[in-house]
Amino acid sequence: LILACALAAKVVVDLRWERAPLFGFTSPYIVYCHNLQRAGEPVEQAWLSYAMQLLFFGGLIGASLFALVRTYF
């Protein structure tokens, strides 16, 4: 539940601001949109695919790391 909330917060921050509020680096969502435009893909629904990918792969990696740490430590 904590992982899902953290990933959802990251999605909101990435979609809302072009630069991260605390660190000032460019949002990965902006880079994602530029890459889609460069490939000639539409960017109207890019926010949805970005959010789904971030939640899926972030959850997969986070759950794997949690299981690894819990198993060996």
Side-chain angles (χ1 to χ4, degrees), residues 3-24:
L3 177 62
C5 290
L7 289 172
K10 179 160 176 38
V11 167
V12 170
V13 169
D14 285 349
L15 295 178
R16 177 98 172 139
W17 292 284
E18 289 186 18
R19 297 207 170 267
L22 296 176
F23 303 111

Side-chain angles (χ1 to χ4, degrees), residues 4-67:
C5 290
L7 289 172
K10 179 160 176 38
V11 167
V12 170
V13 169
D14 285 349
L15 295 178
R16 177 98 172 139
W17 292 284
E18 289 186 18
R19 297 207 170 267
L22 296 176
F23 303 111
F25 56 84
T26 304
S27 169
Y29 174 68
I30 300 298
V31 175
Y32 180 69
C33 287
H34 286 302
N35 289 338
L36 285 177
Q37 288 174 341
R38 191 176 311 133
E41 298 289 328
V43 294
E44 290 81 26
Q45 297 294 323
W47 68 272
L48 185 60
S49 63
Y50 176 78
M52 288 185 345
Q53 288 177 37
L54 183 70
L55 291 173
F56 178 77
F57 291 112
L60 188 65
I61 291 169
S64 299
L65 287 174
F66 177 75

